[in-house]
Amino acid sequence: MSATTQGSGVPVCPRCRSNTTEVRGVSPVAGVWTVYGCDTCFYTWRSTEGEQNTNPDKYPEVFRLKPENLPKLQVAPRIPPLQPKAQ
Amino acid sequence: MRAYQDFREFLSVLEQQKQLLRITDPIKLEPDMAAASAAATKLGNRSPALMFNNIAGYQNAQIVTNVHGSWANHALALGMDPETGVRDQFLEFVRRYRMFPGQLERVTSAPWQEVVIDKDINLFEILPLFRWNQGDGGFFIDKPCVISRDPDDWNNDDVENVGVYRLQVKDKNHLGIQTVPQHDIALQLAHAEARGEDLPVAIALGNEPIITLMGATPMLYTQLEYKMAAVMQGQPYRVVQNAKGLDIPYGSEVVLEGRILARKRQPEGPFGEFPGYYSGCHQYPLIEIDRMLHRKDPIYESVYVGRPWTELDYLQALTTSAPIFDQINATFPEVQAVNALYTHGLVLIVSTKVRYGGFAKAVGLRVLSTPHGLGYAKVIIVVDADVDPFDLNQVMWAMSVRVNPAGDVLMMPNLAENLLDPACQPSGMVTKMIIDATMPVPPDTRGDYGEILETPMGTDTWLQKLEALTKELQK
Ligand SMILES: [Zn+2]
């Protein structure tokens, strides 16, 4: 198994290297491209893009994310307190 | 002034005016869409819209970019002569803006009801989505009109909202939405979330050009964008109300109906944003799409965002300048014009008559308390009424000779700022500055100003003569 694929053939996420990825869609004209998405960091990419967007080893360092850091991202807008239910 | 029925009617007018270029060469969504659209922004004042119809992987998809991407196209959107200059477009925009409110015209059907999809929605296969900038976290719908109402005041049309907010396509039927706290929809979402309820939204794509301009206009919370669009086009604004009570433009290509999920946040971004930098990643709200309606073979519209200037800067130019002008002129009728063309008004220039010493600084302070000033205006340059704020040569002259930094620069630390401004420290906070580039008047006696040079008598007549002769010369 290479760094870029799992057993199933769906690639690992180029940005966060999670294997929580799936095929999001395929080209209406068959066989031209496949769009993949990651359910951990929500990165999306198309099979026909350059390696900087599709290959975890070539994905730019500056845009990489670690799954454990995602909950620490700034929340905007903040979630207000629940108001008590009216009787 | 004219009203465009729908997106297609405007595209046909652009084409008649030679302001639309059809690209029939085969293109790949990445990197061709970004490269071609970025190139179009470098063509200047007559830069055309681009229409792509030969897209890898699609049989019939059509994408249009740069629709508002030049002063010529902007003038045509307003129903004006494509040669109209910026200052004249500003004055006309303001004149119409002040006729608010116009009227809504509710009709029962629209062309976008031709095709209805209410199960197994897959946005990736229906819309030709693509990545604009290489570091973007995904494919963004970045020129939508997002329509919502206030859950605490549901039947009040005046607080219904139409806004342009970037949407990241997260999976087949989910979108991330950026609603910075200064946006109207953030207020409505807060009301829904306090109740623990989802906020219904409708998302209209491929719209006639006026409503997109209005969605980008920071008007007051109680001003409905449709009623402003009506005065901008000189006719009642035609909408169709959906089952939830949301009013949707008649002239859209595609409509997505869904809900912002209550009290949920998810990683979103980055996205190459209007300051010319990537926004970072944040935890932003999430929209679930329940239903999709579209015209047959819908035309998909998107806006390239890169280092200014791009189409986005035209979209945010007068739509930012006019409301700020209107709001400060209401309290200070001495104010003549506002130029908020630069990076969504992070820097802006106000021209004003000066009644007495210190007056110009008060005008600058007033800008900071407008709705847009709260979250954007960071560097405010105040110039005299004899300086055209749209002519940067004149503005730089005023800065050169009418500023003594010792008394003319005010710095105000820790004010609120849009979190997309990369200069923020911390994110959402910034120091703001007013530069008083007006000439001191009593009781402000600073400086050693003698008599100002005047334009020689008859210059205007000679200008016309020389312009005609120059044209002759070029024949
Ligand atoms: Zn990922």
Side-chain angles (χ1 to χ4, degrees):
Chain A
M1 199 165 78
S2 79
T4 56
T5 57
Q6 313 163 56
S8 66
V10 177
V12 301
C13 173
R15 181 163 78 166
C16 78
R17 292 186 182 248
S18 299
N19 54 23
T20 55
T21 56
E22 65 162 18
V23 172
R24 303 285 202 213
V26 295
S27 52
V29 174
V32 180
W33 46 254
T34 303
V35 171
Y36 301 101
C38 170
D39 284 331
T40 298
C41 76
F42 299 95
Y43 180 68
T44 303
W45 71 103
R46 192 185 321 272
S47 56
T48 49
E49 288 187 84
E51 284 205 299
Q52 287 214 315
N53 281 104
T54 56
N55 179 342
D57 296 329
K58 303 279 172 64
Y59 192 78
E61 197 86 47
V62 66
F63 294 122
R64 287 182 197 177
L65 290 173
K66 289 197 167 79
E68 62 270 27
N69 290 336
L70 296 174
K72 298 178 208 157
L73 297 172
Q74 188 187 7
V75 173
R78 71 181 189 88
I79 300 174
L82 266 178
Q83 71 193 19
K85 284 258 187 294
Q87 292 302 307
Chain B
M1 208 184 306
R2 67 172 286 182
Y4 297 103
Q5 287 276 323
D6 56 21
F7 189 49
R8 293 179 193 203
E9 187 186 356
F10 185 55
L11 295 181
S12 69
V13 167
L14 290 180
E15 190 155 36
Q16 284 159 20
Q17 295 280 339
K18 303 194 191 315
Q19 285 298 122
L20 181 137
L21 205 55
R22 287 181 185 271
I23 311 292
T24 53
D25 290 357
I27 66 126
K28 284 173 75 181
L29 288 161
E30 299 88 9
D32 294 335
M33 285 305 306
S37 303
T41 68
K42 300 184 189 303
L43 294 174
N45 283 347
R46 296 294 304 229
S47 171
L50 303 181
M51 186 161 196
F52 304 86
N53 65 2
N54 190 356
I55 299 156
Y58 289 93
Q59 206 73 258
N60 299 316
Q62 302 176 85
I63 307 178
V64 184
T65 66
N66 213 43
V67 168
H68 293 81
S70 57
W71 286 118
N73 285 18
H74 191 278
L76 289 167
L78 295 174
M80 299 175 77
D81 186 303
E83 295 291 342
T84 313
V86 190
R87 189 185 166 84
D88 288 338
Q89 290 194 45
F90 168 79
L91 293 172
E92 177 60 12
F93 196 100
V94 168
R95 189 186 70 79
R96 296 183 197 175
Y97 193 88
R98 290 183 155 177
M99 288 157 69
F100 181 86
Q103 285 181 338
L104 275 181
E105 179 193 354
R106 288 202 174 96
V107 295
T108 51
S109 64
W112 45 260
Q113 294 166 328
E114 279 174 339
V115 180
V116 182
I117 307 168
D118 52 14
K119 57 175 188 297
D120 301 326
I121 293 170
N122 187 341
L123 296 169
F124 291 104
E125 291 178 357
I126 305 163
L127 300 174
L129 304 168
F130 56 92
R131 188 188 317 280
W132 271 126
N133 285 294
Q134 204 189 3
D136 289 353
F139 306 165
F140 283 75
I141 296 172
D142 66 345
K143 209 180 178 184
C145 285
V146 180
I147 301 128
S148 54
R149 283 181 177 266
D150 187 337
D152 289 352
D153 199 2
W154 192 259
N155 295 315
N156 182 356
D157 289 343
D158 291 331
V159 298
E160 187 177 21
N161 185 60
V162 183
V164 179
Y165 309 110
R166 79 182 201 207
L167 304 167
Q168 180 180 353
V169 183
K170 296 295 193 68
D171 63 28
K172 293 167 186 172
N173 67 333
H174 288 94
L175 305 169
I177 180 169
Q178 171 172 270
T179 65
V180 307
Q182 289 86 1
H183 289 153
D184 288 348
I185 197 174
L187 195 63
Q188 301 178 339
L189 179 62
H191 292 169
E193 293 194 315
R195 293 160 169 257
E197 295 170 1
D198 293 351
L199 182 72
V201 291
I203 298 161
L205 311 178
N207 301 297
E208 57 69 40
I210 291 286
I211 195 60
T212 310
L213 286 169
M214 297 301 98
T217 302
M219 54 187 78
L220 302 176
Y221 186 62
T222 52
Q223 292 179 321
L224 175 60
E225 284 77 2
Y226 293 129
K227 292 186 179 176
M228 192 65 86
V231 293
M232 286 286 164
Q233 65 177 22
Q235 273 181 40
Y237 197 83
R238 193 178 295 171
V239 294
V240 173
Q241 199 167 58
N242 75 0
K244 293 268 169 52
L246 299 172
D247 293 303
I248 300 165
Y250 170 89
S252 309
E253 291 286 314
V254 176
V255 174
L256 309 174
E257 294 180 334
R259 295 155 287 121
I260 305 186
L261 302 177
R263 312 184 71 78
K264 190 168 172 55
R265 301 290 184 268
Q266 201 176 67
E268 194 267 9
F271 182 61
E273 266 286 0
F274 76 90
Y277 287 84
Y278 286 102
S279 70
C281 252
H282 301 88
Q283 293 275 352
Y284 278 166
L286 191 65
I287 299 174
E288 189 162 286
I289 301 299
D290 303 313
R291 210 158 86 108
M292 178 168 182
L293 305 97
H294 64 81
R295 292 181 74 148
K296 284 185 190 126
D297 297 325
I299 304 171
Y300 180 67
E301 186 192 15
S302 194
V303 50
Y304 168 66
V305 188
R307 229 157 98 151
W309 267 54
T310 67
E311 180 189 356
L312 194 68
D313 295 288
Y314 291 99
L315 262 179
Q316 297 176 336
L318 300 189
T319 58
T320 309
S321 305
I324 297 173
F325 169 74
D326 186 56
Q327 289 151 16
I328 60 177
N329 180 266
T331 33
F332 292 120
E334 294 80 7
V335 170
Q336 306 292 302
V338 171
N339 172 354
L341 262 49
Y342 300 96
T343 322
H344 210 353
L346 293 184
V347 172
L348 63 81
I349 304 149
V350 186
S351 69
T352 183
K353 293 178 186 159
V354 177
R355 288 170 58 195
Y356 40 75
F359 187 83
K361 295 182 178 71
V363 168
L365 288 166
R366 177 69 189 93
V367 173
L368 293 177
S369 60
T370 60
H372 194 76
L374 293 174
Y376 292 82
K378 177 176 62 179
V379 176
I380 297 153
I381 302 164
V382 188
V383 296
D384 285 296
D386 67 344
V387 172
D388 177 358
F390 293 99
D391 182 341
L392 293 190
N393 287 340
Q394 294 185 32
V395 173
M396 293 310 284
W397 167 69
M399 294 266 283
S400 310
V401 297
R402 292 177 177 175
V403 173
N404 178 350
D408 287 326
V409 177
L410 271 62
M411 305 265 269
M412 286 143 287
N414 296 321
L415 297 189
E417 180 72 342
N418 186 308
L419 52 81
L420 292 175
D421 179 352
C424 282
Q425 177 68 26
S427 180
M429 303 293 294
V430 83
T431 294
K432 299 197 177 183
M433 174 167 71
I434 294 170
I435 301 172
D436 181 351
T438 63
M439 200 170 71
V441 296
D444 186 353
T445 54
R446 295 170 303 134
D448 182 19
Y449 293 90
E451 284 303 303
I452 192 165
L453 297 177
E454 281 162 358
T455 306
M457 264 169 60
T459 300
D460 289 348
T461 318
W462 268 98
L463 178 60
Q464 285 175 4
K465 195 188 282 192
L466 294 182
E467 276 171 351
L469 288 170
T470 316
K471 248 181 209 160
E472 239 359 80
L473 194 66
Q474 285 161 350
K475 270 184 188 163

